[in-house]
Amino acid sequence: GLTNLRTTHRLDRLTSGLLILARNLSTAQKIEAEIRDRKVVKEYVCRVEGEFPKDPLECIEPIHVVSHRLGVCTVDPRGKECLTCFERLSFNGTTSVVKCKQ
C-alpha cells in the first residue's frame, strides 16, 4: 500500500496545484534538489478570456516570493530570473487555451 508517504513539494498552491509525494526520504531529497536546482520543467495548460495572440510569446521577468507558506509571488527586480513561454493552442471565439512553459 501507500504508507509512510512524504510530502516533497507543492507546486502552485494558489491554482490548486500539484502535490508531489515520495515513498522514502532519499527520493524526497532527490526531488527537492531537482526542483531547487531548476531541473524540473513546469508546463501548464490554461483557459483565458479573449483571443490570445497567435504567435508564441516569451515573458522574461524576475519573480520574487512574497510568501512561501501561501505560495504568493510577484514580479520584482529582487526576484529570481524567470522565463515563461506562452503558446496559443486554440480559440473558440470567446476564450483561448494557452500552453505555458517555464
Side-chain angles (χ1 to χ4, degrees):
L2 298 176
T3 59
N4 300 321
L5 293 176
R6 298 175 176 273
T7 303
T8 303
H9 194 74
R10 174 79 184 259
L11 294 171
D12 304 315
R13 179 178 308 167
L14 294 179
T15 59
S16 72
L18 173 72
L19 189 59
I20 299 175
L21 304 171
R23 290 184 180 215
N24 56 57
L25 179 60
S26 64
T27 301
Q29 291 171 333
K30 180 181 176 188
I31 293 169
E32 289 168 357
E34 288 179 356
I35 291 170
R36 183 180 55 252
D37 297 339
R38 296 181 158 204
K39 292 180 180 176
V40 174
V41 176
K42 299 178 187 177
E43 191 170 303
Y44 310 83
V45 176
C46 63
R47 183 174 301 277
V48 298
E49 291 285 331
E51 184 174 5
F52 198 84
K54 289 180 182 179
D55 294 329
L57 294 174
E58 286 188 349
C59 178
I60 305 171
E61 294 290 344
I63 302 296
H64 175 69
V65 178
V66 175
S67 170
H68 286 282
R69 187 176 64 80
L70 297 176
V72 176
C73 300
T74 185
V75 173
D76 188 296
R78 297 172 293 164
K80 291 182 184 177
E81 261 188 46
C82 183
L83 166 65
T84 306
C85 301
F86 300 91
E87 177 186 352
R88 186 175 90 183
L89 302 177
S90 67
F91 175 61
N92 67 7
T94 306
T95 61
S96 300
V97 175
V98 180
K99 179 171 69 172
C100 315
K101 184 175 179 180
Q102 287 184 314

